Amino acid sequence: MDATFVEPQLSITENLAKEKESYTPRRPLYDAALVGAQSAAVGVVVSAVQNALAKHNAGAAGIFTRTGGTIGFFAAMGATFALTDSMSANIREKNDATNGFVGGCSAGVLAGLR
């Protein structure tokens, strides 16, 4: 007979303690700056498309003068999401979908205010 070793099952509290020990804190301001810059780049593309489809006399500068608010709006939404997501993770010391939910709600508030 082969003796097989069966690992003992961890209880729920032991799993939670193990998860809490393995949490690595995030850097909210770094995440917000990084995602804000990436979102601003997407905003430039969207603003360029808006500028190309509109009839006006502003030329290529219309990306910044006519539809430039789109760039700032995209940057603000991305930065708000990333900041809130990271802060929620640091407060709760968990990496789960709830952090994204909280970040999405805070970014959605900006969309509602616009």
Side-chain angles (χ1 to χ4, degrees), residues 3 8 40-41 43 56 61 65 68 71 80 85 98 108 112:
H56 57 82
T65 58
I71 301 168
T80 301
D85 180 59
T98 304

Side-chain angles (χ1 to χ4, degrees), residues 19-21 25 28 70 84-85 101:
E19 180 181 312
K20 202 165 202 171
E21 290 173 6
T70 303
T84 311
D85 180 59
F101 175 77

